[in-house]
Amino acid sequence: MAGVSARGGRDPLWIALVAAYLAYAAVFIFQTSFLVGGERYFSLFDDAMISMRYARNLAEGHGLVWNPGGERVEGITNPLWTLYLALAHRLGLPESKVSLVVQATGALLLAANLFVVRALALRLSGRRAVALAAAALTAFYLPLNNWALQGMEVGLLALLLSTAALLALRAWERGRFSPAPYLVLGIATLVRPDGVVPLLALAGFLALADRPRRLRHAAAGALTLLLFVGAQTALRLWYYGDVLPNTYYLKMTGYPALLRMTRGAWVLLDFAWYANPLIFFLPLGLLLFRHPRGVRLLLALFAAQVVYSVYVGGDAWEWWGGANRYIVVAMPLYFVLLAMALRGVGSFVLRHADEAGRLPWKTASAGTAWVALVALAAVSFNALKGPRSLPEWLLLDPPMHVEDNAQMTRLGVWLRENAAPDAVVAVQWAGATPYFAHRTCIDLLGKSDRRIARLPMVGPPAGFHRFLGFWPGHLKWDYAWSIQRLRPDVVFNREYDANILPHLAGYRPVWVEGATLYVRVDSRALRPPP
């Protein structure tokens, strides 16, 4: 069992690590909350709140849509996770507390993943210290905690990917074929369609590496793809009328593919640079030695997510640093490899120092060096954009976008209390404000607008910046359509620049909850008039 040491008793360090992580997660989650009118609210990352709006509408019988009674547009990319969010809405909790259930679920999923990571590391290295280090690096990796504990589906995806890797490794080492890892990754495609990436990576790798069972792996991968992806696509065509989610058209069409990928490559290099290149590429050194073949399996799965991140151009929040949402699901596998590599480096250095007669206290020095290397790696990977990022990791600063989430939530609550039931609100941040407002909304950036998602993106900038100018999900809009044609009662954009201001001629600015709203001059939707 994962909680039992090699000596047959409970491992106190392992138990302490899991307990410390759960305490860390609890503090992290509390720091994402805030007061609104004297009541404590929990809100997820804004993109997760888009899924929450779809989920609530489904739970209330309106269907899997963004606006009740509105057009069916798949503005989400996490269908199975959204179904779980719908179940959370059936618990009868106050709206201010539903997100807490989702966040607690994320913490439990990440805690369960630690057991799988430990089992992987023990199987590959046979050393309790390596397993503990791999689990510790995973437990306290800020990007993984941030995305999962703020409501994104990455916690579930990380657990599924780690589990599939463990199941595949066990079967491979025993000389057997098992369909279990393919079933697990099939479920991952339902959580998010790009779960096909690790599925294809696993099938392709094992078809090449496990020669006696090559045809079985190829057939299992193809069959899983057909059943899970095929069924999901058929349901999407039936319900939404589209082959792919609306967000695919929004993010992957209308922009030069090469410029999209150059930006993806750049953010990968940026990630490696801030993590310390000497440490980041250290696991590749395992290929130079006769390590268990599972090392190649984990490297292949991690590499597949890295290549996918480059292909899609990275994520929208690369300014924050660290692994983005595509790479972070494979970081637990990476940390297993990193812990093994760090152990090898430490042993090599200590062995040569001992041969030179410079280690009179070898055992103590070995333990100290090992702890120092792991600590250095932890600091390097959590200094997302340098030392200024460390207070956030240490929970001295609030997590990413919490202040923005609070403002969006307060604005949504204000609209719920002051806007007429038939008011129409156009928003740029399409998550917390629409969720808490309970009003028909227009998505200015097109996640839930089929017309905008199929427009060409704003052209790349000139000069060198054209290689870095891609910004997924934020380069399509049509204010003539969204504002002048659809005529919302209220418009809320975080930045009113030269692109949008000409379309607000018939609107007047109103200062509400620390933000500027534009209200249509002939609208009577707000009560009382501000």
Side-chain angles (χ1 to χ4, degrees):
M1 294 177 61
V4 179
S5 74
R7 298 173 182 174
R10 292 282 176 185
D11 186 343
L13 289 178
W14 169 246
I15 295 173
L17 173 63
V18 175
Y21 170 70
L22 291 174
Y24 180 91
V27 175
F28 187 105
I29 291 170
F30 183 79
Q31 286 195 340
T32 66
S33 68
F34 41 82
L35 295 177
V36 179
E39 181 179 2
R40 183 157 296 279
Y41 272 69
F42 291 84
S43 178
L44 310 178
F45 190 72
D46 201 69
D47 271 30
M49 294 305 294
I50 296 175
S51 300
M52 287 281 279
R53 182 170 163 101
Y54 274 83
R56 184 183 63 203
N57 287 335
L58 179 62
E60 294 179 352
H62 302 297
L64 200 56
V65 293
W66 196 48
N67 284 316
E71 183 182 12
R72 290 182 179 181
V73 181
E74 191 180 7
I76 56 172
T77 50
N78 51 1
L80 189 59
W81 184 246
T82 302
L83 291 180
Y84 173 73
L85 302 185
L87 291 177
H89 282 85
R90 299 290 294 176
L91 296 176
L93 295 173
E95 194 170 64
S96 60
K97 305 299 187 295
V98 178
S99 293
L100 176 59
V101 174
V102 181
Q103 293 177 284
T105 301
L108 293 176
L109 289 170
L110 291 183
N113 187 53
L114 296 181
F115 287 83
V116 183
V117 167
R118 182 176 187 263
L120 269 170
L122 281 173
R123 182 167 289 273
L124 286 176
S125 71
R127 295 179 177 273
R128 293 169 55 223
V130 171
L132 191 67
L137 290 169
T138 301
F140 300 104
Y141 185 48
L142 179 58
L144 183 57
N145 282 304
N146 180 75
W147 299 122
L149 300 182
Q150 291 212 60
M152 305 301 288
E153 64 282 352
V154 298
L156 178 55
L157 286 172
L159 175 59
L160 291 173
L161 181 55
S162 299
T163 301
L166 179 60
L167 293 172
L169 184 57
R170 283 177 176 173
W172 189 15
E173 290 180 342
R174 294 170 181 172
R176 299 175 182 176
F177 168 80
S178 172
Y182 296 102
L183 177 61
V184 170
L185 291 181
I187 295 172
T189 67
L190 301 180
V191 178
R192 200 167 69 196
D194 56 17
V196 299
V197 173
L199 171 61
L200 293 176
L202 180 72
F205 176 84
L206 289 178
L208 293 174
D210 190 13
R211 294 183 180 181
R213 288 157 288 277
R214 174 173 296 173
L215 292 180
R216 291 186 181 183
H217 289 297
L223 184 61
T224 304
L225 196 67
L226 177 64
L227 291 178
F228 285 88
V229 179
Q232 186 178 169
T233 303
L235 286 172
R236 182 181 297 115
L237 276 169
W238 167 70
Y239 193 78
Y240 292 109
D242 291 319
V243 176
L244 296 166
N246 195 60
T247 49
Y248 171 85
Y249 302 102
L250 179 70
K251 297 180 179 182
M252 295 295 290
T253 65
Y255 200 87
L258 180 61
L259 295 183
R260 184 186 73 231
M261 289 187 283
T262 55
R263 195 261 187 172
W266 176 263
V267 298
L268 172 62
L269 293 175
D270 188 62
F271 169 36
W273 174 259
Y274 278 100
N276 187 329
L278 293 177
I279 296 177
F280 183 83
F281 293 105
L282 191 60
L284 292 177
L286 295 175
L287 296 176
L288 302 177
F289 303 95
R290 298 184 63 182
H291 279 285
R293 51 191 175 182
V295 166
R296 290 179 285 135
L297 173 62
L298 267 58
L299 278 174
L301 292 173
F302 177 73
Q305 292 300 126
V306 168
V307 171
Y308 176 67
S309 174
V310 172
Y311 173 71
V312 300
D315 208 352
W317 300 278
E318 300 291 358
W319 55 266
W320 186 58
N324 60 32
R325 291 180 299 165
Y326 310 118
I327 296 176
V328 78
V329 298
M331 287 303 292
L333 306 183
Y334 172 87
F335 285 135
V336 170
L337 300 174
L338 180 61
M340 293 176 62
L342 290 172
R343 181 72 181 187
V345 169
S347 298
F348 176 82
V349 171
L350 290 170
R351 182 171 61 252
H352 284 270
D354 184 54
E355 291 173 356
R358 298 175 181 176
L359 284 180
W361 303 288
K362 181 177 180 179
T363 302
S365 298
T368 302
W370 168 239
V371 172
L373 284 172
V374 174
L376 175 62
V379 172
S380 295
F381 274 90
N382 286 287
L384 306 182
K385 284 291 182 179
R388 68 181 184 274
S389 302
L390 293 177
E392 188 175 346
W393 174 47
L394 298 173
L395 304 181
L396 301 176
D397 288 344
M400 177 188 185
H401 276 321
V402 167
E403 294 178 0
D404 295 314
N405 295 343
Q407 184 187 48
M408 298 301 111
T409 299
R410 292 189 180 103
L411 183 58
V413 172
W414 186 90
L415 287 168
R416 184 182 67 208
E417 295 173 348
N418 294 279
D422 60 349
V424 178
V425 183
V427 293
Q428 181 189 49
W429 284 46
T433 297
Y435 178 82
F436 289 107
H438 287 268
R439 297 297 182 268
T440 297
C441 290
I442 295 170
D443 188 349
L444 294 173
L445 292 181
K447 293 182 184 68
S448 297
D449 188 312
R450 182 177 281 108
R451 183 181 184 278
I452 291 178
R454 285 156 176 78
L455 294 174
M457 294 189 193
V458 175
F464 175 77
H465 291 288
R466 70 195 309 264
F467 298 104
L468 310 178
F470 181 69
W471 190 15
H474 295 75
L475 293 178
K476 291 184 180 182
W477 58 79
D478 184 353
Y479 298 131
W481 162 261
S482 300
I483 299 176
Q484 294 182 329
R485 180 68 179 274
L486 300 182
R487 290 176 55 79
D489 297 284
V490 180
V491 176
F492 173 53
N493 215 46
R494 288 299 299 272
E495 297 180 0
Y496 299 94
D497 55 21
N499 292 308
I500 192 174
L501 284 175
H503 303 281
L504 296 172
Y507 290 75
R508 59 189 176 91
V510 175
W511 183 256
V512 173
E513 296 294 340
T516 301
L517 306 182
Y518 275 81
V519 181
R520 205 175 72 236
V521 294
D522 61 347
S523 173
R524 297 294 181 266
L526 294 186
R527 54 184 192 197

